[in-house]
Each structure stands twice: as structure tokens, then as C-alpha cells.
């Protein structure tokens, strides 16, 4: 597993990533190849254009408010709320206010028969 964070260290989510007025910021917490956790920081008005990801994803808004669009449906998600999305679903994000997100990504294992 790859990470630049120390195991056992207590950190504040909203201080783990900084805003960048030039571009959307991404910071990997850890990556296993089969999934991981990342932080995203968007200034108000910044967006992620429509794209897909090969993971099941949990999007948690830690600060601010975003407009999350998938399957032609737009959802407003505020700090303290989360949304689940399936793998390979086209989606986009627009920051209504300065916003910080935590993404939990998991790649489904078709050989896993555990429930």
C-alpha cells in the first residue's frame, strides 16, 4: 500500500489538503491498486467534467457544498453528507462553495463470494 501519511498519526481531514485557485487539488491518502482513499479540494465554481472511474465510490463532503451529477440526476451534497456511486458511472462535480471531499474507492472482486 502506498501512502505519504504516518500510521497512528491523528490528522484533521480539512487540514490535510489545501485549496488551489488555479485547479482542483487531489491528494492520495493511500492506494492499494484495488482501491484507496483520496481528498479533493475545489474552490467555489471549480468543476470536474463528466468522467468515469473503475471503482465503487463513496463521496463524502467534509466541508462546503457540491452539485454531483450522475445518471442525468443532480444531487446537492453538503458537509457531513455522502453519496454512493457504482463503478463506471459517468458523473461530474461542481463546487457551489469552497469544498473538500473524501473519496473512498473500492474495486469489486468478481471472485469474492463473501457477502
Amino acid at each position: 500500500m502506498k501512502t505519504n501519511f504516518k500510521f497512528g498519526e491523528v490528522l484533521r481531514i480539512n487540514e490535510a489538503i489545501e485549496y488551489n485557485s488555479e485547479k482542483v487539488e487531489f491528494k492520495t491518502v493511500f492506494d492499494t491498486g484495488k482501491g484507496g482513499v483520496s481528498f479533493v479540494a475545489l474552490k467555489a465554481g471549480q468543476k470536474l467534467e463528466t468522467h468515469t472511474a473503475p471503482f465503487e465510490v463513496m463521496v463524502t463532503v467534509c466541508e462546503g457544498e457540491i452539485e454531483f451529477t450522475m445518471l442525468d440526476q443532480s444531487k446537492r451534497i453538503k458537509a457531513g453528507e455522502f453519496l454512493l456511486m457504482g463503478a463506471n458511472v459517468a458523473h461530474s462535480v461542481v463546487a457551489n462553495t469552497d469544498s473538500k471531499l473524501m473519496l473512498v474507492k473500492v474495486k469489486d472482486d468478481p471472485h469474492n463470494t463473501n457477502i
Side-chain angles (χ1 to χ4, degrees), residues 13-15 17-20 23-26 38-48 59-68 75-81 93-103:
I13 291 172
N14 292 343
E15 295 173 4
I17 187 168
E18 298 297 322
Y19 292 109
N20 182 333
K23 65 181 180 84
V24 176
E25 281 294 315
F26 290 87
S38 299
F39 295 134
V40 182
L42 304 98
K43 293 288 285 175
Q46 288 181 330
K47 61 178 116 180
L48 296 172
V59 179
T60 302
V61 177
C62 301
E63 180 176 291
E65 177 183 285
I66 64 169
E67 201 72 30
F68 191 94
K75 305 278 184 185
R76 182 170 290 182
I77 310 171
K78 299 175 185 177
E81 299 177 333
V93 178
V94 176
N96 294 334
T97 64
D98 291 356
S99 301
K100 292 183 180 180
L101 317 176
M102 180 172 54
L103 307 179

Side-chain angles (χ1 to χ4, degrees), residues 2-115:
K2 295 184 265 180
T3 185
N4 291 322
F5 292 88
K6 288 183 176 180
F7 283 86
E9 185 175 356
V10 177
L11 303 164
R12 295 174 91 38
I13 291 172
N14 292 343
E15 295 173 4
I17 187 168
E18 298 297 322
Y19 292 109
N20 182 333
S21 60
E22 303 296 316
K23 65 181 180 84
V24 176
E25 281 294 315
F26 290 87
K27 189 169 191 176
T28 300
V29 177
F30 69 85
D31 182 6
T32 67
K34 293 185 178 184
V37 174
S38 299
F39 295 134
V40 182
L42 304 98
K43 293 288 285 175
Q46 288 181 330
K47 61 178 116 180
L48 296 172
E49 297 293 343
T50 302
H51 62 286
T52 62
F55 301 99
E56 310 286 326
V57 179
M58 182 173 124
V59 179
T60 302
V61 177
C62 301
E63 180 176 291
E65 177 183 285
I66 64 169
E67 201 72 30
F68 191 94
T69 303
M70 70 175 178
L71 303 174
D72 296 325
Q73 292 186 354
S74 183
K75 305 278 184 185
R76 182 170 290 182
I77 310 171
K78 299 175 185 177
E81 299 177 333
F82 71 93
L83 170 136
L84 299 177
M85 181 187 73
N88 302 308
V89 173
H91 61 283
S92 63
V93 178
V94 176
N96 294 334
T97 64
D98 291 356
S99 301
K100 292 183 180 180
L101 317 176
M102 180 172 54
L103 307 179
V104 178
K105 306 170 282 186
V106 178
K107 195 171 273 188
D108 188 26
D109 181 358
H111 304 294
N112 185 355
T113 57
N114 295 332
I115 295 179

